[in-house]
């Protein structure tokens, strides 16, 4: 059963990745925002079919983490989202040390870590 769910999730993600052209992205900012969008698409779909009290399927980030990420009309502000994601994930530790989510963006711009 979990194998079937994992296979379904994988297939759904691959279809979405193809539709969003994720493999064609060449700059970091676009990649970060595309994967953020993909995460929210999956969470929205899963919120209808499953309830997980430990990992609720909500749109990320919630206002409790980033009150400036959503405007007065309820739409996400992608500039604010991008800056939030940089700040939020730069503290993530991996077995290899701190996670480096940003390299060089096309045009040579470097984002601070």
């Amino acid at each position: 059963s979990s194998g079937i769910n994992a296979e379904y999730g994988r297939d759904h993600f691959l279809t979405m990745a193809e539709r969003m052209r994720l493999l064609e992205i060449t700059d970091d900012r676009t990649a970060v925002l595309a994967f953020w969008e993909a995460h929210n698409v999956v969470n929205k779909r899963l919120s209808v079919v499953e309830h997980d009290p430990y990992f609720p399927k909500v749109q990320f980030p919630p206002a409790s983490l980033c009150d400036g990420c959503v405007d007065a009309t309820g739409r996400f502000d992608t500039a604010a989202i991008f800056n939030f994601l940089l700040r939020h994930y730069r503290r993530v530790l991996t077995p290899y040390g701190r996670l480096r989510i940003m390299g060089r963006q096309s045009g040579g711009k470097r984002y601070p870590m």
Side-chain angles (χ1 to χ4, degrees), residues 56-102:
K57 306 305 179 215
V58 298
Q59 298 299 281
F60 186 82
S64 61
L65 289 178
C66 181
D67 62 354
C69 289
V70 179
D71 68 18
T73 66
R75 295 180 55 157
F76 282 110
D77 176 339
T78 55
I81 293 289
F82 180 72
N83 290 327
F84 165 79
L85 292 171
L86 286 182
R87 288 188 317 273
H88 187 72
Y89 287 107
R90 74 175 162 204
R91 295 182 295 267
V92 174
L93 291 176
T94 71
Y96 308 103
R98 292 224 177 265
L99 177 66
R100 303 297 290 186
I101 63 167
M102 300 303 295

Side-chain angles (χ1 to χ4, degrees), residues 14-34:
L14 292 173
T15 299
M16 181 176 54
E18 193 173 297
R19 185 178 66 249
M20 293 177 71
R21 299 179 170 190
L22 294 179
L23 295 178
E24 297 174 25
I25 295 172
T26 59
D27 69 280
D28 290 333
R29 184 179 193 282
T30 303
V32 167
L33 290 173

Side-chain angles (χ1 to χ4, degrees), residues 8 42-52 57:
Y8 175 77
V42 170
N43 266 4
K44 187 172 188 176
R45 183 175 58 82
L46 291 178
S47 71
V48 177
V49 295
E50 73 178 53
H51 173 71
D52 184 343
K57 306 305 179 215

